[in-house]
Amino acid sequence: GAGLTARVMTPLEEAGFKPVLFTDVRSDPTAASVDAIVARARSTGAAAIVGLGGGSALDAAKLAATIALEEPAASDYALGAIPLPTNRLPMVMIPTTAGTGSEVTKTVVYSLDDNRKVWAWGPELLPDIALLDPTLTVGLPAHLTAATGVDALVHAIEAVTAKTPSAMGETFGLQAIKMATRSLVRAVEEPGDLDARGEMLVASMLAGKAIAECGTGVAHAVGHALGADAHVHHGRAVGLVLRAAFSWNASVSPERFDGVATYLGVPTGVG
């Protein structure tokens, strides 16, 4: 309804391709949605899959592209039960929200029929191309701009303060915090500000790379449960949990939070 699909399909059609549209992906995607994408890809002889949308659409597209050429269903790959196929369809990811960073990660999150949230992960899920276009995020409502931006910020904070830190993860994460601190409120209050929108897309991407290096923490552990059981938007859920857990985390390892405070623009050493 926002006209975003036409902006991708029309130039593909003009270039001689025959794109097929699949839109039945809800927030917090299901294994059934992934299987439906796979079925469509097989029935139309798809040569590649383009993911367009927020993290849920991208995750569903990534897993579908990865398993489309093999027989097992999406649920069979949950939690690494069987290895992901190495023979897969090429995938291009185009985020329309600045939040998950899924366009540069090797992980997907989805739900099974019993409402359990599960993961699949591995280098096979890493997209071939990620396209960041801030004009595709301009129409996102303010509350979703805020929630997805908070998700990116929580990714960065949890990566930087993880039990398994790395120099790469810290570099990506701190830069993401700096950029989100500078641009998230502007993107919410001035939705047409392409500089703010663009910076948030880059911040989201960098935060995605940070969690790929270091993982996440308690905010995501509890936040995923809130999403699965109470259907709270993922960004809102992890933001609420981090707000509750932040002081507790910082009290255990205050030195790791000094960098976070600095890049958030608040004084350090004040508890």
Side-chain angles (χ1 to χ4, degrees), residues 52-72:
L52 175 71
S56 295
L58 300 190
D59 275 5
K62 284 165 57 177
L63 186 55
T66 303
I67 69 174
L69 302 179
E70 301 292 338
E71 288 304 316

Side-chain angles (χ1 to χ4, degrees), residues 1-18:
L4 299 182
T5 53
R7 291 186 54 186
V8 176
M9 295 183 71
T10 299
L12 285 173
E13 291 167 344
E14 292 173 347
F17 294 96
K18 298 178 180 179

